[in-house]
Amino acid sequence: MSGAPLSPEQLALRERQGAGARYDADAAPHAHLDLARRGTAYFARRLMQLDDADLDAPSLLPGWTRRHLVAHVGYNARAVARLVEWARTGVENRMYAFDTQRWDEIVLGATLPTRALRHLVDHAAVHLDVEWRDLTDAQWDAEVVTAQGRTVPARETAWMRAKEVWVHTVDLDNGGSFLDFPPEMVDGIIADVLRAWTRRSEPGAVVLRATDRDAAPGEYGEGGPVVEGAAADLARWLAGRGARRLRVVGGGKLPAIARWF
């Protein structure tokens, strides 16, 4: 599978950067990589707006300080990079070698000096980007196993990372909003939640109606209430980050929904 032809500007950039520069393979999931990289920049901007002392305050995740959250985002990049390395080398390399590794890393990361914690996020993101750019066309389709036990092609790692950085920026609780997300990220989250519910055969039913979209964003089950609002507000609710500006058509309370993942 080949990508779109390079523009004259892109060709000129590659010539300036030289043969040693890394680029995504033609068969890479370019749209999802773009979302992951833009989300990484979004998280970095919001994190930079926080003073060191601000990191000790609670995040929007129950029981987590911002330090825990920042550590998670950094170590998640390392975990995703392990899957990408698996795809590149063919040698099994799980996201986590043992059941408690994810939480152990978060707890450890939260104790790091603030400068080291910030560097963790930056360096881990760069490492992941390098691993992505080292994949060949064929390696993007190599199978790896997620922390949830799903077998997926390596191209799924770009979307996995995009979800982490965009949603956890909101969890920093310093002004990040689903309203800031690109439309394709919002729509992707809605579709991802519905897919997750379907895989797990979750109970319940709901019809989603986005007031700012021509097409309906989706529905789950049969005969559920119609929940209406902007697509970003629907995504926020489905992602478990609270309900704002949503209404049930015909009246009544919002239905209870299952977790995302």
Side-chain angles (χ1 to χ4, degrees):
M1 181 170 58
S2 61
L6 297 176
S7 69
E9 293 79 11
Q10 289 172 314
L11 289 170
L13 176 62
R14 291 198 176 193
E15 184 175 354
R16 291 196 301 273
Q17 290 178 324
R22 288 180 167 93
Y23 304 99
D24 298 324
D26 286 344
H30 299 289
H32 285 166
L33 284 171
D34 180 62
L35 286 173
R37 289 163 180 157
R38 290 161 67 188
T40 296
Y42 181 54
F43 184 87
R45 286 196 302 274
R46 289 293 176 183
L47 176 57
M48 198 161 46
Q49 292 168 4
L50 292 169
D51 294 333
D52 289 354
D54 294 332
L55 298 182
D56 294 320
S59 73
L60 290 182
L61 294 180
W64 286 30
T65 67
R66 287 174 172 145
R67 283 183 168 276
H68 289 89
L69 180 62
V70 173
H72 169 59
V73 170
Y75 283 118
N76 172 262
R78 295 276 174 84
V80 174
R82 287 193 281 271
L83 292 186
V84 182
E85 183 182 351
W86 180 356
R88 177 173 55 81
T89 65
V91 178
E92 182 174 324
N93 198 359
R94 299 276 179 148
M95 291 183 74
Y96 304 106
F98 48 92
D99 290 344
T100 65
Q101 182 180 349
R102 174 180 174 275
W103 181 240
D104 290 349
E105 289 177 340
I106 293 169
V107 172
L108 172 65
T111 69
L112 291 173
T114 305
R115 179 178 294 183
L117 184 58
R118 293 179 187 272
H119 285 174
L120 166 67
V121 174
D122 294 339
H123 295 171
V126 170
H127 174 211
L128 175 56
D129 230 9
V130 170
E131 288 289 347
W132 276 332
R133 285 184 167 146
D134 278 351
L135 290 185
T136 64
D137 287 347
Q139 287 167 348
W140 275 109
D141 289 316
E143 290 188 338
V144 296
V145 180
T146 71
Q148 291 77 34
R150 292 195 302 121
T151 299
V152 300
R155 64 183 56 257
E156 183 80 8
T157 61
W159 175 245
M160 288 165 57
R161 182 59 177 170
K163 291 185 292 186
E164 292 285 339
V165 286
W166 282 104
V167 174
H168 285 323
T169 303
V170 174
D171 293 331
L172 282 174
D173 195 22
N174 69 325
S177 170
F178 279 72
L179 298 173
D180 296 336
F181 292 14
E184 59 270 32
M185 190 69 217
V186 169
D187 294 343
I189 288 172
I190 293 173
D192 195 274
V193 173
L194 298 181
R195 286 194 300 268
W197 291 352
T198 299
R199 281 195 304 268
R200 301 196 305 261
S201 300
E202 294 286 358
V206 65
V207 178
L208 306 171
R209 181 184 296 170
T211 55
D212 55 346
R213 296 283 193 276
D214 292 332
E219 62 180 286
Y220 182 76
E222 296 182 2
V226 177
V227 177
E228 184 177 73
D233 290 328
L234 290 170
R236 176 189 176 91
W237 175 56
L238 294 173
R241 266 62 183 184
R244 294 182 180 176
R245 298 176 291 271
L246 299 178
R247 74 181 191 96
V248 176
V249 176
K253 295 182 178 180
L254 290 171
I257 55 174
R259 61 181 173 84
W260 182 6
F261 54 78

